[in-house]
Amino acid sequence: MTDGDRTLTRRETLRAAVALGGSTGLAACLDLEGQPTEAGGTDRGTDRPAGTESEAELPSRQHAWNEFSRTDEHGNPVPARHHVLLLADYVGDGPVDDGDRTQAENAFRELEETYRWESDGLLFTVGYSPAYFDRYDEPLSESVDLPQPAALAPFEDPSFDTPDLLVHLASDRASAVLEAKQALFGELETANGSEVTETIDGTVELVDRRTGFIGAGLPAEHDDVDGVPDGAVPEDAPLFMGFKSGFRQNQATEDSVTIAEGPFAGGTTQHLSLLRTELDQWYNQDSREQRVAKMFSATHAAETLVEGVGDNLGDSSLVAETGVADRVEDDAFEKGVVGHAQKLARARDEGGDPRLLRRDFATVDDGQTGVHFLSLQEGIMDFIRTRNAMNGDDVANVGGVGTKNNNGILQYVTTVRRGNYLLPPRSKRSFPRPS
Amino acid sequence: MSPRRNPTRRDFIATSGVALGVSVAGCATGDDAADETPSEAAPGGTESTPEGTEQGRGNELPTASAQERPLVHIPAHQDGMRMVGMEEVGPYMVAMSYTLLHDFWILTGKEKIYVQIEDGQGLHLMATVWDPEYNQRIPLGSPPVEVRAAESGDSVTKKSLWPMLSQQMGPHFGDNVAFPEEGEYTVQLSFDPVSARQLGEYRGRFTDAVDAEFDLLFRTDITNNIRERFVDEAGQAGALEPMETDMQPDGRLADAASLPGEHGGIVESGAAEFVVQVLRRAPAGIDSSGPYLAVSARTPYNQYPLPFMGLRATVANAGEEVREPLKAAVHPELGYHYGAPFPAIAMGDEVTLSVGAPPQVARHRGYQTAFLEFDDTTLTLGDGT
Ligand code: HEM
């Protein structure tokens, strides 16, 4: 595959193929994945694992991904490298019919039988928006905190996503996320070597398709888009801003984001926003120390706690261990800067644990850099609280910190879309009733 | 300053006899380049280099003259600027202008980074924002800007302008922007609500986000005609005069004598002046009906406000000490200042000012070494200083 006069590397091609989608994209991927990998590459070789035949092997939570993912040397779950988000509307008005419900369940079940439930196979979730539940007369069970999306800062003006459902496909293999989408929509006869017989085609209409990636090397290879200077992203950075994210100690556990009671016990809520990143100043003007101070804290910068992309941090960003979360206001006053992670650590729950399980990933959709910021939390209020901590309006007039200037990474990030979803437990993932 | 021919930047490059790349990158080969300008230039956009590192200094030791230079000093050249337009949006007047590409220093905490000029064509975009009723400049943080090609609508750049301080422009928002080619562009600016306290008549005035848009014609024959004048007094204590225009206030704060309240005195630290006032009643917007301590932190000579600083006051009277952070605020007569209510403050009290974070504004030449290190300073209110 070539892009103008430049020959694309294997990793670039796989990412590009996911963005392209369709049969062309898929063919390109399968072709590449059939070839031996480059040294150190983690887009794995030929044999894709077969699907999960026995339902007993599958978790009852759709969001049970961690134990089915690789872990790094520090025990952090490694997110799947390739992602596709499918936003779709149910074709009918009013309550969903049982026939459609069964058809959808069969299609999701067939996906599981086609791909092994693991990051080397395929992990996926199906979520439903408040707009979806509006079709029913009964309100959504009160045990679920799922408001309509809203602007969450005085300085943002996002559009709102209101599709009925959101399907999130994730895999280390670019081919799997592409092929799974086509299988789901009945565009293929066989997928991963087995026949495609069930599809959701006819019950839903696709309204948007978004793609992304996360993992060492992927952002650096896709810096030829707007929003990031060429060659600026560190070679081994998993995300465009150049640092590793998602340490085990800085994430909510799957258990803690799970809804405990009511008809959706075993489910969780999902927030998806699209953040655009403008990294010209980040890489061309800010120094490394300034980047570390803005992403982590002034202490992290002064004491050089972060090496490279932050692998040395192990399984914790050290925001709790260093006590910086308790020094946000002091740092604003004395140091003139507060870090993103430092501010966010103030939004922890009563037990001192983060409220969000972040599963965000980078994107170059529409030729611009950004983040599909996807997070799981027990209720959307957990997200709102956390986002408020990020806004840092309590320190926006303390010392050297402004509304965005020196206020974590706010200067570089713009929220352009927001949407909220319920991820029911697996047993109710197909067009759930509201209670 | 002696009258002399006003050379353009082109002339300068031609006559100064240095290699083109160096002139463009340094843009200040005359005066203060040696100590502050890193020698390495990298292509592509504006680049920064950590200061004080081997790489940053290009292994050169600071020159003696740089060390002797006053903290606030006259830079080597004075540039013209061009107005793009003025627009009234919400409670603000916004003026968009540009000058030649400039080098400057950005600050995070005390970490100062030199941003050099890169090869290629571009402009230093500047926005100034003020309240047309009282003519006070308003500090808006780091407003996002997007430049688009007028015809295609293609985005040329999207970033946040830095809050900046220059001797001629005073407080403004700016950055260098590269333009791919000559032609017409639109510049869209967004202003977030003001985070500083809004006091007196300003209470609740600057709380909405507003946008402003300007048309900009980028032509090298126009930019080449922007005048640059080389200043004989370069390196001496002082500052270039604020740019005179009939259209916008020059950014100076009112003299101490014209500020409201009782005048407590003026102290100096870090090359900044701190004018101390005591208002008998806290202005509207402060949750107190007692006295209010207002400190107007400003540059020497031009009296520009120094925003985004951590400032604290300790007020002592007969063995009683009260220590409070002063919050940044805007007020029609005080302008941008730092203040807090002190219920028992009175003339004769001792006030000690201490600075945490230095003013987090990017600095243009002549200010790059000033307002960084401050000592605590004490004055007795009303004691004739
Ligand atoms: C461009 C977008 C973003 C980037 C690049 C980013 C990056 C990071 C990094 C590097 C860390 C520290 C490492 C870690 O704890 O995993 C972190 C922590 C965190 N971020 Fe973000 N982040 C972004 C946006 C957001 C948003 C929109 C939210 C939610 C409102 C968020 C919530 C958090 C939380 C909760 C933590 C952990 C805080 C704790 O330790 O308790 N981040 N982020």
Side-chain angles (χ1 to χ4, degrees):
Chain A
M1 224 180 168
T2 57
D3 168 16
D5 52 1
R6 211 162 55 93
T7 306
L8 299 185
T9 67
R10 171 192 170 83
R11 275 192 302 212
E12 282 177 293
T13 312
L14 289 170
R15 201 287 309 161
V18 174
L20 181 67
S23 49
T24 329
L26 179 56
C29 275
L30 286 171
D31 203 34
L32 263 177
E33 287 176 1
Q35 295 164 15
T37 52
E38 63 201 90
T42 42
D43 290 304
R44 307 208 202 147
T46 41
D47 332 297
R48 301 195 296 177
T52 312
E53 287 294 340
S54 150
E55 269 202 86
E57 289 172 40
L58 291 165
S60 60
R61 296 172 183 168
Q62 293 197 73
H63 58 287
W65 290 15
N66 288 358
E67 62 177 294
F68 303 94
S69 300
R70 287 175 292 131
T71 43
D72 67 14
E73 59 196 304
H74 311 292
N76 302 305
V78 179
R81 290 170 70 83
H82 297 282
H83 296 256
V84 169
L85 296 164
L86 303 169
L87 287 71
D89 279 334
Y90 178 58
V91 289
D93 300 324
V96 174
D97 12 287
D98 277 338
D100 289 341
R101 188 167 286 123
T102 311
Q103 184 186 335
E105 181 53 26
N106 291 343
F108 297 136
R109 181 69 201 108
E110 191 171 87
L111 267 193
E112 293 162 345
E113 286 165 359
T114 306
Y115 302 96
R116 177 84 47 84
W117 185 263
E118 59 180 34
S119 55
D120 193 34
L122 178 74
L123 296 169
F124 68 94
T125 60
V126 191
Y128 296 86
S129 70
Y132 164 81
F133 288 105
D134 283 348
R135 72 190 53 253
Y136 295 94
D137 292 336
E138 321 92 277
L140 179 61
S141 164
E142 278 181 11
S143 58
V144 175
D145 168 28
L146 185 73
Q148 301 280 356
L152 298 179
F155 49 79
E156 70 175 36
D157 185 18
S159 309
F160 301 121
D161 288 328
T162 54
D164 289 325
L165 66 159
L166 170 62
V167 179
H168 177 194
L169 305 171
S171 173
D172 284 338
R173 296 166 185 271
S175 64
V177 290
L178 273 175
E179 193 184 57
K181 182 259 160 184
Q182 293 172 43
L184 205 50
F185 281 83
E187 296 159 16
L188 287 178
E189 285 174 8
T190 59
N192 203 22
S194 55
E195 200 186 338
V196 176
T197 56
E198 306 288 343
T199 96
I200 56 171
D201 193 38
T203 66
V204 300
E205 214 165 277
L206 192 63
V207 292
D208 200 7
R209 181 177 164 281
R210 301 178 193 165
T211 67
F213 49 87
I214 178 170
L218 286 165
E221 297 203 353
H222 300 100
D223 63 359
D224 53 343
V225 291
D226 292 349
V228 59
D230 284 358
V233 182
E235 273 306 313
D236 52 343
L239 288 163
F240 277 116
M241 291 194 81
F243 296 106
K244 191 168 169 177
S245 142
F247 298 107
R248 196 156 54 96
Q249 308 283 0
N250 304 90
Q251 289 275 48
T253 60
E254 286 176 356
D255 282 345
S256 70
V257 300
T258 300
I259 297 171
E261 284 166 19
F264 295 103
T268 184
T269 71
Q270 184 183 51
H271 178 82
L272 174 68
S273 37
L274 172 57
L275 311 178
R276 285 290 173 210
T277 45
E278 295 297 337
L279 303 180
D280 180 30
Q281 292 162 326
W282 180 253
Y283 282 116
N284 278 338
Q285 298 182 354
D286 282 306
S287 65
R288 161 129 191 127
E289 287 68 31
Q290 289 172 329
R291 289 195 291 271
V292 172
K294 290 176 183 180
M295 186 62 85
F296 295 90
S297 78
T299 304
H300 284 70
E303 295 176 13
T304 337
L305 298 181
V306 186
E307 289 163 23
V309 304
D311 267 325
N312 71 301
L313 291 167
D315 68 354
S316 165
S317 71
L318 303 181
V319 283
E321 297 83 339
T322 51
V324 293
D326 303 323
R327 288 210 301 270
V328 173
E329 192 163 339
D330 284 351
D331 276 6
F333 189 90
E334 300 290 346
K335 309 268 166 60
V337 59
V338 295
H340 168 74
Q342 176 183 23
K343 276 187 296 175
L344 270 296
R346 298 177 306 171
R348 294 191 174 186
D349 65 16
E350 302 71 33
D353 295 317
R355 293 172 193 271
L356 307 191
L357 175 50
R358 291 166 281 139
R359 288 193 171 149
D360 56 300
F361 45 91
T363 185
V364 291
D365 284 352
D366 307 318
Q368 292 175 52
T369 62
V371 175
H372 289 300
F373 192 85
L374 189 154
S375 69
L376 306 179
Q377 52 282 313
E378 188 176 354
I380 295 298
M381 189 42 94
D382 294 310
F383 183 81
I384 295 172
R385 284 208 185 113
T386 307
R387 175 67 211 201
N388 281 343
M390 176 168 170
N391 292 346
D393 30 355
D394 55 328
V395 286
N397 190 32
V398 176
V401 175
T403 307
K404 292 178 186 157
N405 195 23
N406 291 346
N407 200 337
I409 54 174
L410 293 177
Q411 184 184 335
Y412 310 96
V413 176
T414 313
T415 309
V416 296
R417 311 197 69 91
R418 290 195 180 284
N420 295 332
Y421 307 88
L422 167 67
L423 298 190
R426 183 170 165 278
S427 58
K428 295 185 176 167
R429 71 179 159 192
S430 301
F431 297 126
R433 295 183 185 82
S435 54
Chain B
M1 294 176 208
S2 57
R4 43 145 92 199
R5 188 172 87 92
N6 289 346
T8 62
R9 183 160 298 219
R10 274 240 173 103
D11 292 337
F12 173 47
I13 290 166
T15 58
S16 63
V18 266
L20 182 78
V22 176
S23 306
V24 174
C27 176
T29 327
D31 67 326
D32 31 16
D35 68 321
E36 302 276 2
T37 312
S39 61
E40 285 169 49
T46 326
E47 287 274 338
S48 69
T49 319
E51 224 193 3
T53 61
E54 291 258 309
Q55 181 205 10
R57 301 227 181 231
N59 295 329
E60 280 175 58
L61 291 171
T63 59
S65 71
Q67 281 176 342
E68 286 155 14
R69 209 168 48 196
L71 292 180
V72 174
H73 57 267
I74 295 173
H77 55 86
Q78 177 174 15
D79 291 344
M81 63 125 179
R82 236 157 243 275
M83 188 72 128
V84 175
M86 245 168 44
E87 201 183 318
E88 186 158 4
V89 285
Y92 310 110
M93 278 301 286
V94 181
M96 184 82 230
S97 56
Y98 62 80
T99 178
L100 304 170
L101 290 172
H102 265 247
D103 55 352
F104 53 88
W105 287 260
I106 58 170
L107 209 62
T108 299
K110 286 187 178 171
E111 164 90 357
K112 189 172 72 170
I113 288 293
Y114 174 69
V115 177
Q116 67 192 30
I117 301 168
E118 284 310 303
D119 285 343
Q121 46 185 13
L123 301 173
H124 184 74
L125 288 186
M126 302 180 288
T128 49
V129 182
W130 69 97
D131 148 48
E133 189 179 348
Y134 295 98
N135 278 336
Q136 299 285 359
R137 297 257 181 118
I138 305 296
L140 279 150
S142 40
V145 66
E146 177 158 24
V147 179
R148 292 173 180 277
E151 203 151 294
S152 63
D154 288 351
S155 185
V156 169
T157 198
K158 231 170 128 178
K159 57 168 92 176
S160 293
L161 296 178
W162 299 108
M164 295 191 145
L165 195 62
S166 82
Q167 295 187 352
Q168 291 175 267
M169 291 291 292
H172 65 281
F173 311 101
D175 200 351
N176 293 336
V177 170
F179 285 81
E181 56 188 16
E182 297 195 333
E184 285 175 29
Y185 294 87
T186 58
V187 180
Q188 187 175 6
L189 284 163
S190 316
F191 299 107
D192 298 324
V194 170
S195 62
R197 280 175 170 166
Q198 302 167 29
L199 305 182
E201 286 285 302
Y202 280 168
R203 199 175 174 187
R205 185 175 292 202
F206 311 110
T207 49
D208 290 332
V210 298
D211 291 346
E213 198 171 289
F214 299 93
D215 297 325
L216 185 154
L217 179 64
F218 176 68
R219 276 207 344 236
T220 40
D221 59 340
I222 302 178
T223 44
N224 284 340
N225 273 317
I226 291 179
R227 293 281 140 178
E228 246 192 322
R229 199 174 60 84
F230 293 92
V231 185
D232 293 339
E233 292 85 348
Q236 297 176 22
L240 297 171
E241 287 286 308
M243 187 93 70
E244 290 292 337
T245 67
D246 331 329
M247 291 169 295
Q248 49 174 309
D250 61 15
R252 292 173 194 263
L253 290 164
D255 293 343
S258 328
L259 292 177
E262 272 182 281
H263 180 57
I266 300 177
V267 286
E268 259 186 53
S269 175
E273 292 176 7
F274 297 85
V275 179
V276 180
Q277 300 290 117
V278 178
L279 277 61
R280 191 154 307 160
R281 276 180 78 91
I286 295 290
D287 192 14
S288 162
S289 56
Y292 177 77
L293 174 69
V295 176
S296 172
R298 46 181 79 192
T299 66
Y301 315 110
N302 293 354
Q303 306 285 294
Y304 295 137
L306 290 169
F308 306 118
M309 156 169 41
L311 187 62
R312 184 185 284 121
T314 308
V315 176
N317 184 336
E320 295 263 324
E321 257 193 26
V322 188
R323 205 171 126 92
E324 288 286 343
L326 305 180
K327 293 247 173 180
V330 286
H331 179 275
E333 286 94 39
L334 286 164
Y336 186 94
H337 69 281
Y338 300 85
F342 283 84
I345 196 169
M347 288 296 129
D349 288 359
E350 279 204 341
V351 175
T352 302
L353 297 178
S354 49
V355 175
Q360 299 292 299
V361 280
R363 288 92 183 289
H364 280 284
R365 284 194 176 267
Y367 285 145
Q368 72 270 31
T369 47
F371 326 126
L372 286 172
E373 299 285 344
F374 296 86
D375 294 325
D376 290 1
T377 49
T378 302
L379 85 167
T380 305
L381 288 177
D383 209 19
T385 30

